[in-house]
Amino acid sequence: MPDAQAPATLIALDWGTSSLRACLLDAAGAVLDRRESAHGIRALPEGGFPAAFAEAIQTWPEALPVLMSGMVGARSGWREAPYAETGPQGVGLANLAAALTDVSDLTGRPAWIVPGVSTRGPSGPDVMRGEETQIVGAGAVEGTLALPGTHSKWVELRAGRIAGFRTSMTGELYAALSRHTILADTLAPPADAAEDAAGFAEGLAAARALETPGDLLGAFFSIRARALFSELPPGRTGPFLSGLLIGAEIAANAPRDASPEAPVGLIANEALAARYAAALTAFGLPSRILPPDIAAAGLHAVARAARLTGDA
Amino acid sequence: MPDAQAPATLIALDWGTSSLRACLLDAAGAVLDRRESAHGIRALPEGGFPAAFAEAIQTWPEALPVLMSGMVGARSGWREAPYAETGPQGVGLANLAAALTDVSDLTGRPAWIVPGVSTRGPSGPDVMRGEETQIVGAGAVEGTLALPGTHSKWVELRAGRIAGFRTSMTGELYAALSRHTILADTLAPPADAAEDAAGFAEGLAAARALETPGDLLGAFFSIRARALFSELPPGRTGPFLSGLLIGAEIAANAPRDASPEAPVGLIANEALAARYAAALTAFGLPSRILPPDIAAAGLHAVARAARLTGDA
């Protein structure tokens, strides 16, 4: 437990699409108080950004600087915080700290937004917003990090800097397929953990059997066909689709030379991290689950590097 | 024009998920009258199947037999019409005619439903319902047919029989991605045919550059990233996504040995057939667009083969 008497020095806001997490931090980065609301940038209350902001930090000391990360800095956010580009050198803590966007005029107090990060791969540009702060918070320095979710990120770290990354629309595609296609009629919740694990393993195996990208379009329909012929019980169809998508994502993105000495680092909530760890194991790839909820630690590190709190 | 005096001998109903097309046919298969409604099996009027049926055939001669094809015979339809299985021999006109499901008790008059067709490929079972009747109506006998749409079918014909087929969830995936993911914020209608064609060609090229199935999940997000950096104008994003999906579908399913003597046969409405023909051309594959609206011809052929009309 942090010492309740330690003075607060920073307010950290992890402000995404569907949630807003606020932390009151002391000089060591310990969390003195925390709040969470559903007021993500797509679900703002009446009064918009200022109202959500005021609610999130109410009663906390007024003089404290506020540092924010996530979609709040998107073009559709409160103010666009330009991307830091990986380029040949990569993007590290110092680059993020040097490129904060000042939003004091919007908030009426000292406040900044951390930049997102952009990169350019063989298939064009890619972007992240919020994950860069989690990565800094994780303190990892080398190798591959996966941040699975709505838009999964696979990140290459070199010497503590983000060298490059790639996004996979895995979670959002699962939601769209399972709710808005014929599969919605087919999917039923798994009866228990065993059924969930069995369907997931079958989906992973199906992903490994795919040959071309277009085979995936066939595999989606085949879930329906298998269910029609009772070859896939309804409770296994959702886990099967999850395994199919996550398996395809891993086959396309995970480093084949991951090893016990250089495992894939996983940043996600407990359930999702466990799912990806199981999938990586099925591919023969070691992984290591990093502590969740590290955005506040990342914001604290950026604030110190930018000397926002005057306590560095 | 058919001779208006030729007596009607058959009522043909092409009854799918979102529409119901009814034709009054004479002994030669000429269309004497036609009606179309939006009362597909997912959009039935009050009174359900009987009401939609009665409305579709009202005022037409009461003694005539009625033959139906499509999702009306699905498990979720009026009555399930079991699948004819391709097996080693394939499924031809005679097999369909021999496996009609009698629904006279439901309709109060002589009426049947054409079976769907099932097959089994390396990745499990696959099914069609309605397309088998269109294929019979097309009169094609050999080679590959593509029936693009919500659930595109790629069909191998041998000696006039359906030897096997594969379904690609292309159209439905396009709809789900463009309406129910972050791409919904990105897509705008193309300004004109030139912008549409340019975006579509870029999507086809992106599809050809994909290496693994999971790369497709990255390509979906990359549309968003390209748009953010103004590398893809909003009006090109929809056609790009269309080209990406159709290109992946073609790469996975089109026969590489298609030739001017053995083109891919296309069955679809005019606009969609033209889109697939353009895509196949980009892949160096010749195609031939078959006449649209051939379900009635297929139902007529099945009715004759089953001697439903007594005029064979």
Side-chain angles (χ1 to χ4, degrees):
Chain A
M1 282 295 291
D3 177 353
Q5 301 307 310
T9 60
L10 178 71
I11 293 174
L13 262 57
D14 170 20
W15 201 341
T17 300
S18 55
S19 71
L20 167 53
R21 295 189 182 87
C23 288
L24 184 67
L25 304 177
D26 71 13
V31 177
L32 304 176
D33 195 5
R34 72 170 75 225
R35 293 172 189 155
E36 181 166 353
S37 87
H39 290 150
I41 72 159
R42 290 290 185 86
L44 294 170
E46 194 174 342
F49 286 103
F53 180 83
E55 182 191 275
I57 67 168
Q58 62 183 308
T59 76
W60 289 347
E62 286 187 17
L64 294 184
V66 179
L67 187 59
M68 304 184 259
S69 65
M71 293 301 285
V72 67
R75 199 169 297 171
S76 55
W78 203 352
R79 173 171 290 165
E80 185 170 11
Y83 294 104
E85 158 76 39
T86 55
Q89 305 297 325
V91 168
L93 175 59
N95 306 95
L96 297 176
L100 303 183
T101 292
D102 191 331
V103 290
S104 307
D105 58 316
L106 297 176
T107 60
R109 55 189 295 163
W112 295 266
I113 300 177
V114 178
V117 178
S118 65
T119 192
R120 180 163 292 276
S123 57
D126 207 334
V127 292
M128 65 168 60
R129 214 175 256 294
E131 291 90 350
E132 73 296 324
T133 303
Q134 294 183 273
I135 291 165
V136 163
V141 293
E142 206 70 39
T144 303
L145 282 182
L147 297 88
T150 306
H151 301 151
S152 295
K153 307 290 179 188
W154 288 79
V155 183
E156 280 310 305
L157 283 182
R158 281 188 219 124
R161 302 162 75 88
I162 298 169
F165 60 91
R166 217 173 150 211
T167 304
S168 184
M169 197 191 267
T170 311
E172 194 167 39
L173 187 57
Y174 178 88
L177 283 167
S178 60
R179 293 179 199 157
H180 301 291
T181 71
I182 196 172
L183 296 181
D185 298 341
T186 306
L187 269 61
D192 51 31
E195 185 167 49
D196 182 56
F200 187 65
E202 282 184 84
L204 288 175
R208 301 184 74 169
L210 299 175
E211 291 176 5
T212 79
D215 289 344
L216 202 50
L217 309 183
F220 296 149
F221 188 81
S222 84
I223 294 175
R224 171 71 172 176
R226 285 178 203 225
L228 277 174
F229 288 91
S230 304
E231 294 178 18
L232 200 59
R236 277 197 205 177
T237 52
F240 183 99
L241 177 60
S242 173
L244 181 67
L245 291 171
I246 291 174
E249 178 193 346
I250 286 174
N253 293 286
R256 287 177 200 162
D257 59 352
S259 66
E261 295 71 39
V264 174
L266 284 169
I267 298 179
N269 66 52
E270 198 176 345
L272 196 58
R275 207 159 185 84
Y276 272 74
L280 285 161
T281 299
F283 279 77
L285 298 172
S287 60
R288 184 168 69 97
I289 297 177
L290 300 172
D293 197 17
I294 48 188
L299 286 162
H300 177 257
V302 173
R304 278 177 69 99
R307 302 181 179 273
L308 300 188
T309 55
D311 57 19
Chain B
M1 281 294 290
D3 177 353
Q5 302 306 310
T9 60
L10 178 70
I11 294 173
L13 262 57
D14 171 20
W15 201 340
T17 301
S18 56
S19 70
L20 166 53
R21 294 188 183 89
C23 286
L24 183 67
L25 304 176
D26 71 12
V31 176
L32 304 176
D33 195 5
R34 74 170 74 227
R35 293 173 189 153
E36 182 167 352
S37 86
H39 290 150
I41 72 159
R42 290 289 185 87
L44 293 171
E46 194 174 342
F49 285 104
F53 180 83
E55 182 191 275
I57 67 168
Q58 63 183 309
T59 76
W60 289 347
E62 287 188 15
L64 294 183
V66 180
L67 188 59
M68 303 185 260
S69 65
M71 292 301 285
V72 66
R75 200 170 295 171
S76 55
W78 204 352
R79 174 172 290 164
E80 186 171 10
Y83 294 104
E85 159 75 41
T86 55
Q89 305 298 325
V91 168
L93 176 59
N95 305 94
L96 297 177
L100 303 183
T101 292
D102 191 332
V103 290
S104 307
D105 59 316
L106 297 176
T107 60
R109 54 188 295 162
W112 294 266
I113 299 177
V114 177
V117 178
S118 66
T119 193
R120 182 163 290 276
S123 58
D126 207 334
V127 292
M128 64 168 60
R129 214 175 256 292
E131 290 91 350
E132 73 296 323
T133 303
Q134 293 183 272
I135 291 165
V136 163
V141 293
E142 206 68 40
T144 302
L145 283 182
L147 295 90
T150 306
H151 301 151
S152 295
K153 307 291 179 187
W154 290 79
V155 183
E156 279 311 306
L157 283 181
R158 281 188 218 123
R161 302 162 75 89
I162 298 168
F165 60 90
R166 217 173 150 210
T167 304
S168 184
M169 197 191 268
T170 311
E172 195 167 38
L173 187 58
Y174 178 87
L177 284 166
S178 60
R179 292 178 199 159
H180 301 291
T181 71
I182 196 173
L183 296 180
D185 297 341
T186 307
L187 269 59
D192 51 31
E195 185 166 50
D196 181 57
F200 187 65
E202 282 183 86
L204 288 176
R208 301 184 74 170
L210 300 175
E211 291 176 6
T212 79
D215 288 344
L216 201 50
L217 309 183
F220 297 149
F221 188 80
S222 84
I223 295 176
R224 171 71 171 176
R226 285 177 203 227
L228 277 174
F229 287 91
S230 304
E231 295 178 17
L232 199 60
R236 277 198 204 176
T237 52
F240 183 99
L241 177 60
S242 172
L244 182 66
L245 290 171
I246 291 174
E249 178 192 346
I250 286 174
N253 292 285
R256 286 177 200 162
D257 59 352
S259 66
E261 296 71 40
V264 173
L266 284 169
I267 298 180
N269 67 53
E270 199 175 346
L272 196 58
R275 207 157 184 84
Y276 272 74
L280 284 161
T281 298
F283 278 78
L285 298 172
S287 61
R288 184 168 69 95
I289 297 177
L290 299 172
D293 198 16
I294 49 188
L299 287 163
H300 178 257
V302 173
R304 278 177 69 98
R307 301 182 179 273
L308 300 188
T309 55
D311 57 18

